[in-house]
């Protein structure tokens, strides 16, 4: 069985002049090598395709694959993660991970939260702010938390993301609107423990690998698992496998969100507890980072006794099961 691999390689975009932050979500070569090597170890024939433009050319040239292992993040627009899946759908080529609908929805954290709230799943109250004037008129209780509505890897998140008053609110919104050229998501600040839950599988067959608690150590940027803290995680972040009652609740909330949104094959859900100790849904990562050493999902797997090969194998099993039924 031949498996194509689609991805956006970080160094290609750095070479084109993108900043390190702009290219932060793209993949390192060692990540692609790890996925490729593991797939071959599992008995698949592989073909590194690359990004959407490379894929488009190959498709037009007549190339086809039995399945595409897709981790392409895309470059532009709310549909950027859905572009490769849309193209593959057009050519009737199956792929790993979520479909066009899920990847478009979940890139927009605000629209995702509307769906999540409708399912009765706890998520912090929020507003989507498109202008500085919207921010002035906001009626949510401080402290608040601000982030770009459609970014990942902690982009736009730092010690100023926790907002205490109207003056900070205006300054942070102005800065994020200008820097990221997209709406800002403002949420009620969750003061409790932070968890990330790893999940593999699809629908009723989806299973949690486990939860880990994200603990910020001394010397970390305060208040959030921010861009800086994610980059310096070896020094400032501790990941603790968590199995207590609150962690179990986090797993339950995460699985309900995963199934409710229709996510497939594997990924991660981030949660934080509110003042009452209830884990709230923050966001879902349906294309979670897969670097064996530095990405949260493989780290979570390791801490829960699941080897990298086993993770990739479970993702493939889930995708193949969908395709064969
Ligand atoms: N409402 C909130 N209250 C408190 N902290 C929050 C809130 N929303 C986000 N955070 C903090 O900011 C971090 C990053 O937020 P979020 O997970 O939405 O961003 P991300 O950049 O998409 O993350 P990832 O790297 O997982 O893609 C969270 O892990 C958490 O520490
Ligand atoms: Mg996150």
């Amino acid at each position: 069985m031949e498996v194509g691999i689609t991805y956006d390689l970080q160094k290609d975009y750095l070479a084109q002049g993108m900043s390190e932050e702009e290219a932060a979500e793209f993949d390192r070569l060692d990540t692609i090598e790890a996925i490729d090597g593991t797939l071959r170890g599992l008995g698949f024939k592989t073909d590194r395709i690359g990004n959407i433009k490379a894929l488009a050319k190959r498709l037009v040239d007549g190339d086809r694959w039995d399945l595409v292992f897709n981790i392409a993040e895309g470059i532009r627009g709310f549909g950027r993660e859905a572009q490769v899946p849309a193209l593959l759908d057009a050519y009737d080529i199956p792929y790993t991970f979520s479909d066009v609908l899920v990847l478009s929805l979940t890139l927009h954290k605000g629209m995702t939260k509307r769906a999540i709230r409708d399912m009765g799943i706890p998520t912090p109250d929020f507003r989507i702010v498109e202008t500085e004037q919207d921010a002035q008129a906001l009626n949510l209780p401080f402290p608040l938390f601000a982030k770009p509505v459609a970014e990942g890897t902690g982009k736009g998140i730092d010690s100023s993301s926790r907002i205490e008053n109207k003056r900070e609110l205006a300054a942070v919104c102005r800065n994020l609107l200008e820097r990221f050229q997209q709406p800002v998501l403002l949420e009620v600040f969750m003061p409790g423990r932070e968890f990330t839950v790893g999940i593999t599988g699809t629908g009723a067959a989806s299973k949690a690998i486990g939860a880990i608690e994200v603990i910020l150590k001394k010397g970390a940027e305060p208040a959030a698992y921010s861009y800086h803290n994610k980059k310096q995680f070896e020094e400032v972040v501790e990941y603790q496998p968590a199995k207590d009652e609150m962690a179990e609740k986090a797993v339950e909330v995460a699985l309900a969100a995963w199934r409710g949104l229709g996510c497939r094959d594997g990924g991660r859900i981030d949660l934080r507890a509110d003042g009452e100790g209830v884990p709230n849904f923050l966001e879902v990562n349906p294309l979670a980072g897969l670097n064996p050493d530095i990405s949260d999902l493989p780290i979570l797997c390791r801490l829960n006794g699941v080897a990298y090969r086993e993770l990739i194998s479970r993702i493939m099993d889930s995708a193949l099961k969908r395709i064969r039924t």
Side-chain angles (χ1 to χ4, degrees):
M1 175 170 203
E2 186 167 18
V3 179
I5 310 174
T6 45
Y7 51 86
D8 286 294
L9 200 59
Q10 196 170 55
K11 74 173 171 44
D12 290 348
Y13 297 105
L14 292 173
Q16 287 169 24
M18 265 193 197
S19 70
E20 215 177 290
E21 188 184 55
E22 283 166 338
E25 292 207 76
F26 302 135
D27 281 294
R28 295 177 3 174
L29 185 60
D30 57 348
T31 307
I32 312 307
E33 286 167 348
I35 293 169
D36 190 356
T38 306
L39 286 172
R40 280 188 275 112
L42 290 167
F44 298 102
K45 190 165 175 269
T46 61
D47 181 4
R48 292 189 202 178
I49 300 167
N51 69 10
I52 189 164
K53 289 184 178 162
L55 173 65
K57 182 165 186 318
R58 298 277 307 268
L59 286 169
V60 169
D61 288 348
D63 291 345
R64 301 291 183 265
W65 304 268
D66 299 306
L67 174 78
V68 168
F69 195 100
N70 170 48
I71 55 164
E73 298 276 346
I75 311 287
R76 203 172 304 286
F78 290 129
R80 63 182 185 262
E81 288 185 352
Q83 290 167 352
V84 161
L87 194 50
L88 291 169
D89 277 344
Y91 281 83
D92 213 9
I93 296 174
Y95 48 90
T96 58
F97 301 112
S98 295
D99 71 359
V100 173
L101 175 64
V102 170
L103 292 174
S104 310
L105 174 69
T106 58
L107 192 76
H108 194 299
K109 292 175 179 172
M111 298 303 257
T112 306
K113 281 164 65 70
R114 291 198 208 285
I116 286 289
R117 195 162 58 179
D118 188 65
M119 295 173 209
I121 293 169
T123 191
D125 199 3
F126 68 103
R127 303 283 184 273
I128 298 166
V129 162
E130 299 200 17
T131 64
E132 244 187 283
Q133 288 71 28
D134 291 353
Q136 301 293 342
L138 201 82
N139 58 341
L140 283 176
F142 292 106
L144 297 173
F145 196 87
K147 55 187 152 186
V149 80
E151 297 295 340
T153 325
K155 282 168 76 172
I157 297 176
D158 58 29
S159 55
S160 69
S161 307
R162 183 187 151 130
I163 296 171
E164 304 292 341
N165 54 49
K166 282 215 148 178
R167 186 180 47 78
E168 286 178 14
L169 177 64
V172 170
C173 287
R174 192 180 318 121
N175 177 280
L176 289 178
L177 288 168
E178 165 71 29
R179 254 171 77 205
F180 292 95
Q181 297 293 309
Q182 61 181 279
V184 171
L185 177 64
L186 277 157
E187 288 182 300
V188 169
F189 183 80
M190 294 287 106
R193 292 165 68 195
E194 174 157 346
F195 301 97
T196 187
V197 176
I199 296 174
T200 51
T202 305
S206 52
K207 278 209 291 258
I209 298 159
I212 53 171
E213 183 170 357
V214 177
I215 300 167
L216 301 179
K217 296 201 280 199
K218 244 177 82 184
E221 199 168 43
Y225 189 21
S226 62
Y227 181 71
H228 170 83
N229 290 340
K230 283 175 196 264
K231 274 187 77 172
Q232 303 297 323
F233 78 97
E234 273 146 329
E235 293 89 56
V236 301
V237 183
E238 188 186 326
Y239 303 101
Q240 194 60 258
K243 297 197 160 64
D244 58 282
E245 207 180 311
M246 203 190 289
E248 275 176 20
K249 183 70 196 167
V251 167
E252 193 187 302
V253 170
L255 272 175
W258 182 264
R259 291 174 180 152
L261 291 169
C263 300
R264 305 193 309 202
D265 302 340
R268 256 180 49 232
I269 292 193
D270 296 338
L271 309 99
R272 253 202 186 204
D274 61 18
E276 265 77 61
V278 177
N280 274 237
F281 171 95
L282 292 182
E283 60 133 6
V284 54
N285 298 284
L287 294 180
L290 287 175
N291 185 285
D293 304 314
I294 65 161
S295 295
D296 289 345
L297 182 59
I299 291 175
L300 181 153
C301 285
R302 203 157 51 241
L303 290 171
N304 282 282
V306 174
Y308 187 73
R309 180 189 161 98
E310 176 62 22
L311 170 64
I312 301 295
S313 165
R314 288 188 197 179
I315 291 167
M316 287 298 286
D317 283 349
S318 172
L320 292 173
K321 206 161 107 197
R322 282 192 287 110
I323 293 158
R324 286 174 183 153
T325 50

